[in-house]
Amino acid sequence: MPYSSIDRMIWDDPWFRSLPARTKLLWLYAWSNSRVNPACCYRIVLDDMARATGFDGQGDPDFDTALEALADHMTYFPAGYLWVHGFVHHQTGSPHYLQGVKKCLERELPPEIARRVMEHNAQRGIFIPYEDRIHTVVKPADTVLAAADTVSSTS
């Protein structure tokens, strides 16, 4: 589990202050539970998340209301992944961290979700060195091969 920080100034943010207590807890849980990876986009069962934060489960109307209140800040994908949008922005202090995000995007997430995370961060000036697994080319055709890369016909 990676270390992640929560800016203590969140308690002064008017958006956060306006949330009901259990919605704040849901937000903090999404940001800091044991499944969080460097991209903060991870598999989770909504019912487990609801119960861990004091709701009666996924069908609880208060849980649905809390998710709606957080919809601009996190996305739950039908494939079972939760993504907290601003996480990477608040964690990036070194290029090593972005390498961890890259590995997460390439190894743990479906390509369509990884692309959304990467594009969202790029719009905010955070460029993750992600390579799409589907369209990655090992060696471009116009690359000149070094002598060591060629096959000799004299063998």
Side-chain angles (χ1 to χ4, degrees):
M1 173 178 67
Y3 169 82
S4 61
S5 63
I6 297 173
D7 186 348
R8 66 181 183 215
M9 297 306 290
I10 194 168
W11 299 100
D12 295 330
D13 184 311
W15 166 77
F16 193 75
R17 290 177 63 124
S18 72
L19 298 173
R22 285 197 303 176
T23 305
K24 288 176 184 169
L25 180 58
L26 179 62
W27 170 253
L28 293 171
Y29 181 83
W31 189 278
S32 63
N33 73 76
S34 63
R35 292 176 184 90
V36 171
N37 58 30
C40 206
C41 188
Y42 51 88
R43 279 191 169 284
I44 193 164
V45 176
L46 282 181
D47 193 63
D48 293 345
M49 192 163 106
R51 292 181 190 288
T53 54
F55 295 95
D56 289 332
Q58 187 175 349
D60 183 336
D62 291 336
F63 180 66
D64 294 338
T65 301
L67 285 177
E68 287 173 24
L70 298 173
D72 288 341
H73 302 276
M74 63 187 206
T75 302
Y76 187 78
F77 296 95
Y81 291 88
L82 179 72
W83 169 39
V84 180
H85 305 168
F87 186 85
V88 172
H89 169 76
H90 289 282
Q91 306 304 320
T92 53
S94 91
H96 299 291
Y97 186 82
L98 291 179
Q99 287 298 320
V101 175
K102 172 189 183 267
K103 287 178 185 175
C104 172
L105 296 177
E106 292 174 348
R107 298 176 184 171
E108 298 179 30
L109 303 175
E112 61 277 4
I113 295 175
R115 270 189 236 107
R116 264 191 77 187
V117 172
M118 184 186 65
E119 290 167 2
H120 172 85
N121 284 291
Q123 290 170 355
R124 282 143 189 85
I126 301 168
F127 299 98
I128 300 163
Y130 169 73
E131 295 179 24
D132 192 322
R133 293 184 304 255
I134 297 173
H135 299 97
T136 300
V137 177
V138 176
K139 273 192 177 176
D142 60 346
T143 299
V144 177
L145 297 176
D149 292 336
T150 60
V151 177
S152 173
S153 61
T154 58
S155 17

